[in-house]
Amino acid sequence: MKAFVMKEIGRVGFMDKPVPRPGPGDALVRTTRALICTSDSHTVQGGIGPRENLTLGHEAVGVVDAVGDEVKDFRPGDRVLVGAITPDWGDLASQNGHPSQSGAPLGGFKFANSKDGVFAEYFHVNDADANLARIPDAISDAAAVYCADMMSTGFMGAEHGDIPTGGTVAVLAQGPVGLMATAGARLRGAGLVIGVESVPTRQKLARTYGADEIVDFTREDVVERVLELSEGQGVDTAIEALGADVTFQTAVKITKPGGTISNTGYFGEGEFVRIPRVEWGVGMADKTIRTGLCPGGRLRMERLLRVLGTGRVDPSHLTTHEFPFDDMERAFEVSDKKLEDVVKVMITF
């Protein structure tokens, strides 16, 4: 089969690989749609260390091609969604309520990390009954694929934010995850949602997904403006959706005492992330910091598909570019270098 791989740090391309075989509890899925994520760029840049000929990608939907003898709930021909995170559900961390950490810290992140990813004609799924979700007929592949990571991660940011009904929320950065965090904050009942973003296209999308106010960090001081919008109190919840030390510090500064800083960002640079001491109440302001990795699993995916099915959120606005799999090298360049005002790149197979 044809696969798009990280040949080594800094170098990508196509290669032929054998079609994977499912184990007794596993499935083989024929890919129909996939999305490129900024995390794919992080991987190629060396974010998880050296890899050789590793198939990239972790956001995909497809059709079940084969299942192992112990798989009970899925059969060849089923149209399925697979979460970006595919935990081992028998692991102790999963049993303790942290499936994304199964086997090791971030151990549920298998695709394009500890095993080949989804940018191929076929991909392997472990623990199929627990990690596949059947896509309802009324939902398109192009919409369902957003549940794999963008919706799951963005909504996690809102869920971890402990947003009170009518509360105030600031979402720092309106990339795909930030936009879904904005949508998630509105779904959770926020009374005021503030989007922090400088790019006009993303500012417009932020309003589409529920931002009441936009703060442009290139034109105004974010802390001052958010405090003004929150009547000097700070927000109940700040969602960090970029993964930058300065943005995290801003999130702490704009959160009111007793509020929550919810982190969805990937911090790939530096040895430390700093917490501003005074605005943290010198450690005693009851400000909670929550972190997490994109939740996966069948139940999570089924719930997100229900959000799509009832029309609560339409993620299709995120798709700014679409390429066939044969043009994957160009597609990756557009995503990686943030060309042509890109938000999200869809790959068709």
Side-chain angles (χ1 to χ4, degrees), residues 299-320:
L299 179 60
R300 176 73 171 185
M301 295 301 109
E302 288 176 346
R303 287 175 172 169
L304 296 177
L305 288 168
R306 193 174 299 125
V307 171
L308 295 183
T310 54
R312 297 287 197 276
V313 174
D314 177 6
S316 66
H317 303 298
L318 298 179
T319 303
T320 52

Side-chain angles (χ1 to χ4, degrees), residues 166-177:
T168 53
V169 180
V171 183
L172 289 88
Q174 295 291 310
V177 168

Side-chain angles (χ1 to χ4, degrees), residues 49-235:
R51 296 292 192 277
E52 184 176 336
N53 296 332
L54 176 74
T55 302
L56 293 167
H58 54 266
E59 301 178 65
V61 296
V63 176
V64 175
D65 188 78
V67 296
D69 294 340
E70 296 177 8
V71 176
K72 299 176 180 178
D73 297 335
F74 297 90
R75 294 291 178 267
D78 289 343
R79 194 165 62 100
V80 293
L81 160 68
V82 185
I85 305 302
T86 52
D88 296 311
W89 289 93
D91 184 81
L92 290 177
S94 298
Q95 295 176 41
N96 198 34
H98 303 286
S100 296
Q101 316 301 327
S102 67
L106 313 186
F109 172 36
K110 298 180 185 297
F111 289 135
N113 182 12
S114 59
K115 64 183 282 187
D116 277 337
V118 302
F119 291 161
E121 294 172 297
Y122 297 89
F123 64 93
H124 172 274
V125 182
N126 63 288
D127 247 353
D129 281 333
N131 285 321
L132 297 179
R134 193 170 285 105
I135 302 173
D137 292 341
I139 298 176
S140 69
D141 287 358
V145 70
Y146 276 100
C147 298
D149 186 353
M150 297 299 95
M151 285 176 60
S152 190
T153 301
F155 286 10
M156 178 197 72
E159 291 160 347
H160 282 186
D162 195 22
I163 300 168
T165 301
T168 53
V169 180
V171 183
L172 289 88
Q174 295 291 310
V177 168
L179 289 164
M180 290 298 95
T182 295
R186 179 55 60 89
L187 287 175
R188 300 285 289 188
L192 173 67
V193 180
I194 303 165
V196 179
E197 180 57 62
S198 65
V199 179
T201 300
R202 298 184 181 209
Q203 292 177 344
K204 183 177 179 180
L205 282 171
R207 292 194 181 278
T208 297
Y209 285 116
D212 302 291
E213 299 283 348
I214 301 294
V215 176
D216 184 340
F217 62 87
T218 66
R219 296 175 178 270
E220 53 193 333
D221 184 276
V222 174
V223 176
E224 289 181 4
R225 181 59 176 150
V226 171
L227 289 176
E228 179 184 350
L229 290 168
S230 59
E231 300 178 345
Q233 298 180 48
V235 293

